[in-house]
């Protein structure tokens, strides 16, 4: 019990550890939007797969909306740039 109480502050500081993973429907939408923009099925498949491990369900919505021409909210801007950089590292290693 003491261990659990000692871990509680740490758990409260890491809410993303409990965030829901993106859904399969979001992954499919990401892929479709990406291919519609880039016409690069191989890159889009890689980025759609990478997104499943790099971001959560809420943020996948932010990414898809941005791909459709929206802009991330100010609070999401740094995380969005970090996501783009990390997905490029995975899918475009020499980028």
């Amino acid at each position: 019990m003491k261990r659990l109480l000692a871990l509680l502050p740490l758990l409260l500081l890491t809410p993303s550890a409990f965030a829901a993973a993106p859904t399969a429907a979001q992954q499919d939408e990401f892929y479709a939007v990406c291919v519609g923009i880039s016409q690069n099925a191989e890159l889009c498949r890689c980025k759609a797969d990478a997104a499943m491990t790099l971001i959560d369900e809420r943020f996948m919505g932010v990414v898809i909306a941005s791909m459709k021409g929206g802009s991330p909210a100010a609070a999401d801007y740094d995380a969005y740039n970090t996501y783009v950089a990390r997905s490029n590292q995975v899918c475009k290693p020499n980028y």
Side-chain angles (χ1 to χ4, degrees):
M1 183 68 165
K2 284 184 179 183
R3 286 184 186 178
L4 180 59
L5 290 176
L7 290 175
L8 188 57
L10 178 61
L11 294 174
L12 293 174
L13 293 175
T14 57
S16 62
F18 301 103
T23 66
Q26 284 179 309
Q27 185 181 29
D28 292 344
E29 182 179 9
F30 179 105
Y31 177 80
V33 172
C34 182
V35 169
I37 295 167
S38 72
Q39 303 300 309
N40 186 334
E42 183 179 346
L43 175 64
C44 291
R45 175 54 48 212
C46 180
K47 286 201 166 241
D49 290 344
M52 298 301 283
T53 60
L54 294 175
I55 57 179
D56 64 15
E57 181 179 14
R58 183 198 72 81
F59 205 75
M60 180 69 106
V62 171
V63 171
I64 292 169
S66 295
M67 290 168 52
K68 290 179 175 180
S71 295
D76 289 327
Y77 193 75
D78 288 340
Y80 179 81
N81 285 336
T82 299
Y83 157 73
V84 171
R86 290 185 70 202
S87 69
N88 284 343
Q89 286 174 336
V90 171
C91 298
K92 298 167 78 173
N94 296 320
Y95 182 73

